[in-house]
Amino acid sequence: MSTALRDILRNPTVAELELVARYAGLKVDARRERLFEAFALTGLPGRRDENWRWSDFKSAVTALDAPKTPPAHDPLARGGVATLRFSPSGFAAPSALPAGVRLVTREDVQAMGGAEDVPLGALAAALSGTVQVEVSAEAPVHLHMVFQGPGAIHAARIAFLLRPGTELHVSESHLGGAAFSAALIEFTLQAGARLNRTIYQRGGAGEVQAITALIEQDAGAESVQTVLAFGAKVSRIETRLVHRETGSKATLNAAYLAGKGFHADITTHVRHGAPACTTRQQTKGAVLDGGRGVFRGKFLVPRTSGQQTDASMQHNALLLEEGAEVFAKPELEILADDVQCAHGNTSGALDGTQLFYLRQRGIPLVQARAMLTEAHIAQALEGAGEHEDALRTEASRWLAP
Amino acid sequence: MLKIENLSATVGEGEGVKTILHGLTLSVPTGEVHAIMGPNGAGKSTLSYVLTGREGYTVTGGTATLNGLDLLSLDPEARAAKGIFLSFQYPVEIPGVPVMTFVRTAMNAQRKARGEAEISAPDFIRKSREIAKVLSLDPEMLKRPVNVGFSGGEKKRLEIYQMMMLEPRFMVLDETDSGLDIDALRTVAEGVNALRAPDRGMLVITHYQRLLDYIKPDKVHVLAKGRIIKTGGPELAHRLEAEGYDGVLAEAV
Ligand SMILES: Nc1ncnc2c1ncn2[C@@H]1O[C@H](COP(=O)(O)OP(=O)(O)O)[C@@H](O)[C@H]1O
Ligand SMILES: [Mg+2]
């Protein structure tokens, strides 16, 4: 370990030392060094870091050996859609990709802005090469990505460039298999480009997962993101989005369902870096005894660039049983004056009056709870388009096994 | 036969415990329709909730049986499967759950609990259409979430729709007439009357005599201060309408 790194990583944990060793075994590269140091500034983030206090990766990532989790099935898989596969042992893409899609695999490390803000994104970038995908097709492009496979550490990075006016529908299944996985996914939407991103996340009870996305949108670009997260020992799905030109629009929806021993964190950060941009955000959660849900959402609206911002943030959590935990921090930092910003944040039990109404009609308690919970999260899944049914099926199976 | 004997019940907890039913006794033989009338706050809705097992109500004494079966020891869903149905005074909104999905789930859950086969989708839809027609319900309404955005009258008609779909053995109608105009009242009564049968019983709770012109009861009971203070024929309802509750209440003391 270099002294610089040692300085940064004072009192490293066993897992952090293993990450350093893995880094040290990779080809020397100035960008890699910069990114690893950006990670090392924080190390594995945890309780002491304000942005991570409820999602303690430092304690959760213990020995880095492959957990014996049975392979999870992939509800978003569809025949006929080109599938990119990421696993601890490597990356695989089909030889034939849709017209207007160019894919390049690079062994060297690509630069990344704001690496210090996303330590686990920086770590993913430092420990892996980059898959670059350029979309220039006239017709909408459909791609599927699977992140899965046995191993100790799984680091992956993929960067999409959507040329002006193009449309990409990408689905991602983060199915675990590694003790610790960190994925970095970047999207650049040029003027008028459209992105529909659907994420299904389900890790094992012994696994730790960090999925970090950086999205940048130019004039009139539009993105719709839909997440269904079941968590892991600890999981975090973080999305940092920048509206960097006028008239850009984003919808960021998520549903999380956390059972006993599972932890699901949904974190977003949206910067209204240009006038007249729109953000709609809706996060719905349901948690059982021994489960934990975390929501952190931030809108940053600067004084001049953020004028005419239209943004709303909703987080509503159901504590389905005693012993369920939800932590939420919605944050609006609004410095511009001509804006429309709304937010709401609730957590509580299911409505007893509704439950009784269903039971009076003969619907057993467990099923009644499931129906009400499914209705609660349903709205957050509506943007998933062709994947909405698959997500709802997974949710209802979890709710009423 | 619904048989309630010496039933006492409280609401609330700790300091806030309040006895609402004070030794209420009442029987409705199978095949009969009885009405319960009484002033506001008498405990009419409380009785309906105690019979159907709503949380927050504690039975402190007495019994309630349906055809000999102890209702009070069962979960609400088990009571429903045994055939007790409550038309709510204030029907509940269930956002995100369409009426048809809700009723079909309920029907199949009851059938399962009774060891019967599920209803087929075509049979269900056929039945639903027929009943919607009787009640002049717009079929589009049945695709919308339960009670969400429905008017007061629509909500009450939807309660009767559910009742006709589920064909319960014993029905408790809690102020089904409130919020209904005269035409809607007639339509609803038609639906209710269609369910009158030798193997069914019915308890019609109402504040006003008006409903009883359309749903003719075999007996009328007056509930006040948590017990039945007077029982008579349909003429008792007319007397209450003409004189108000005060006279009857005074006699009972
Ligand atoms: N959940 C409750 N908590 C406290 N008081 C209640 C509750 N439910 C009913 N009550 C009280 O019990 C009494 C009877 O109410 P209710 O059964 O609704 O009367 P009715 O239907 O005859 O008008 C009223 O005084 C009412 O305020
Ligand atoms: Mg009442």
Side-chain angles (χ1 to χ4, degrees):
Chain A
M1 197 194 306
S2 78
T3 37
L5 274 181
R6 202 191 304 273
D7 260 9
I8 291 170
L9 275 176
R10 274 182 226 104
N11 294 322
T13 62
V14 175
E16 283 167 341
L17 281 176
E18 284 190 49
L19 292 169
V20 172
R22 169 158 302 227
Y23 160 70
L26 295 169
K27 210 169 127 198
V28 178
D29 178 318
R31 290 201 188 112
R32 188 190 313 282
E33 188 178 344
R34 209 193 91 46
L35 289 172
F36 196 79
E37 285 185 358
F39 158 71
L41 273 176
T42 320
L44 286 169
R47 272 196 295 272
R48 285 154 195 252
D49 305 291
E50 172 50 32
N51 288 334
W52 298 80
R53 51 194 278 222
W54 298 311
S55 296
D56 190 351
F57 279 71
K58 205 181 205 65
S59 318
V61 183
T62 48
L64 290 176
D65 41 17
K68 286 163 198 69
T69 312
H73 96 110
D74 181 1
L76 302 185
R78 330 193 113 200
V81 174
T83 300
L84 315 182
R85 296 182 188 280
F86 297 82
S87 79
S89 50
F91 167 73
S95 49
L97 286 168
V101 174
R102 202 168 67 92
L103 184 147
V104 182
T105 311
R106 306 182 59 140
E107 293 299 323
D108 57 339
V109 175
Q110 301 303 302
M112 167 188 173
E116 285 76 12
D117 296 330
V118 282
L120 297 181
L123 176 69
L127 297 185
S128 64
T130 308
V131 178
Q132 292 178 323
V133 178
E134 182 183 345
V135 177
S136 55
E138 297 207 343
V141 168
H142 292 256
L143 290 175
H144 180 50
M145 304 199 282
V146 182
F147 298 77
Q148 182 182 31
I153 303 170
H154 183 188
R157 180 181 187 184
I158 180 162
F160 291 90
L161 174 62
L162 276 66
R163 290 295 184 196
T166 56
E167 181 171 338
L168 172 67
H169 294 246
V170 65
S171 48
E172 296 167 29
S173 293
H174 296 266
L175 305 174
F180 175 40
S181 50
L184 174 66
I185 300 147
E186 295 155 280
F187 297 93
T188 302
L189 276 62
Q190 294 187 334
R194 287 158 170 272
L195 169 68
N196 187 297
R197 180 181 184 220
T198 300
I199 301 159
Y200 174 79
Q201 178 276 327
R202 195 162 204 163
E207 301 171 8
V208 180
Q209 290 184 324
I211 299 154
T212 309
L214 305 176
I215 306 177
E216 301 201 324
Q217 300 190 187
D218 290 348
E222 192 169 344
S223 64
V224 176
Q225 174 170 305
T226 308
V227 176
L228 176 62
F230 289 91
K233 181 184 182 185
V234 172
S235 78
R236 172 146 163 165
I237 299 176
E238 177 160 354
T239 308
R240 293 178 78 90
L241 187 144
V242 182
H243 295 290
R244 58 183 191 191
E245 286 180 7
T246 312
S248 147
K249 286 194 175 116
T251 301
L252 292 169
N253 290 343
Y256 61 83
L257 298 170
K260 193 177 182 65
F262 284 79
H263 175 124
D265 173 333
I266 305 290
T267 293
T268 59
H269 184 287
V270 179
R271 183 185 163 86
H272 279 257
C277 296
T278 304
T279 305
R280 293 275 170 271
Q281 179 169 16
Q282 196 171 200
T283 304
K284 306 275 183 188
V287 181
L288 298 179
D289 179 21
R292 182 185 263 207
V294 175
F295 169 74
R296 307 184 64 102
K298 178 160 183 174
F299 289 166
L300 180 60
V301 184
R303 192 187 308 279
T304 38
S305 62
Q307 296 296 358
Q308 289 121 48
T309 285
D310 178 358
S312 67
M313 183 192 293
Q314 274 292 332
H315 170 248
N316 312 101
L318 284 175
L319 305 163
L320 293 178
E321 295 173 341
E322 222 153 288
E325 285 186 308
V326 169
F327 298 90
K329 187 174 180 191
E331 217 183 326
L332 268 51
E333 192 177 326
I334 298 162
L335 304 169
D337 48 16
D338 178 18
V339 300
Q340 276 196 314
C341 284
H343 75 114
N345 179 36
T346 62
S347 55
L350 280 172
D351 183 312
T353 308
Q354 292 180 339
L355 266 181
F356 176 63
Y357 191 72
L358 267 62
R359 296 176 78 189
Q360 205 304 302
R361 299 302 187 240
I363 301 173
L365 178 60
V366 174
Q367 203 180 350
R369 263 198 220 154
M371 276 182 96
L372 292 177
T373 308
E374 198 181 333
H376 169 80
I377 65 162
Q379 242 186 347
L381 302 178
E382 275 169 12
E386 72 226 56
H387 297 295
E388 184 186 349
D389 287 348
L391 294 182
R392 280 192 70 145
T393 303
E394 291 307 311
S396 62
R397 278 200 194 129
W398 182 89
L399 290 164
Chain B
M1 160 112 100
L2 175 75
K3 195 162 185 191
I4 303 168
E5 283 189 311
N6 209 19
L7 186 64
S8 295
T10 61
V11 293
E13 274 176 45
E15 301 266 297
V17 171
K18 196 168 150 195
T19 302
I20 310 293
L21 300 183
H22 294 269
L24 185 147
T25 297
L26 170 73
S27 287
V28 184
T30 307
E32 292 193 7
V33 174
H34 288 199
I36 289 190
M37 301 184 70
N40 273 327
K44 302 184 298 293
S45 292
T46 301
L47 174 62
S48 75
Y49 292 145
V50 169
L51 289 176
T52 50
R54 183 169 186 160
E55 248 174 63
Y57 296 82
T58 310
V59 175
T60 50
T63 58
T65 57
L66 181 62
N67 306 326
L69 177 88
D70 173 20
L71 284 176
L72 302 180
S73 65
L74 300 175
D75 284 338
E77 53 267 41
R79 296 184 203 196
K82 295 291 180 194
I84 187 156
F85 180 97
L86 171 61
S87 170
F88 284 64
Q89 180 174 1
Y90 304 107
V92 182
E93 296 186 6
I94 314 284
V97 179
V99 174
M100 299 273 267
T101 310
F102 171 58
V103 177
R104 190 151 168 237
T105 306
M107 187 182 287
N108 284 332
Q110 289 197 19
R111 287 182 173 216
K112 193 174 167 195
R114 293 192 291 257
E116 299 164 12
E118 292 199 346
I119 189 166
S120 74
D123 285 350
F124 179 85
I125 289 166
R126 200 172 308 122
K127 190 178 171 97
S128 170
R129 272 212 201 105
E130 281 166 17
I131 291 170
K133 206 166 156 204
V134 171
L135 294 172
S136 320
L137 276 174
D138 179 359
E140 282 306 305
M141 225 172 87
L142 303 177
K143 295 176 186 159
R144 294 190 358 223
V146 179
N147 290 320
V148 178
F150 289 18
S151 71
E154 285 172 334
K155 286 181 182 174
K156 292 301 175 75
R157 268 188 286 168
L158 194 71
E159 293 291 288
I160 305 304
Y161 163 84
Q162 294 177 52
M163 190 164 94
M164 295 174 79
M165 289 296 290
L166 295 170
E167 302 179 326
R169 305 294 303 274
F170 196 91
M171 298 163 269
V172 180
L173 279 69
D174 192 359
E175 302 217 11
T176 295
D177 47 339
S178 63
L180 291 185
D181 61 35
I182 200 75
D183 291 329
L185 187 65
R186 211 174 274 138
T187 315
V188 159
E190 225 170 88
V192 173
N193 286 327
L195 283 175
R196 292 179 89 137
D199 60 349
R200 284 211 179 95
M202 210 182 292
L203 197 52
V204 180
I205 296 172
T206 180
H207 198 66
Y208 301 104
Q209 188 273 335
R210 191 180 69 155
L211 177 68
L212 305 181
D213 285 341
Y214 299 96
I215 303 171
K216 298 230 160 27
D218 297 295
K219 280 198 174 135
V220 175
H221 307 274
V222 180
L223 197 167
K225 303 204 176 105
R227 57 171 75 89
I228 301 296
I229 57 159
K230 197 171 179 71
T231 295
E235 76 291 344
L236 179 56
H238 287 280
R239 197 186 139 201
L240 288 170
E241 186 79 355
E243 300 173 14
Y245 287 102
D246 292 347
V248 176
L249 291 182
E251 260 170 41
V253 171

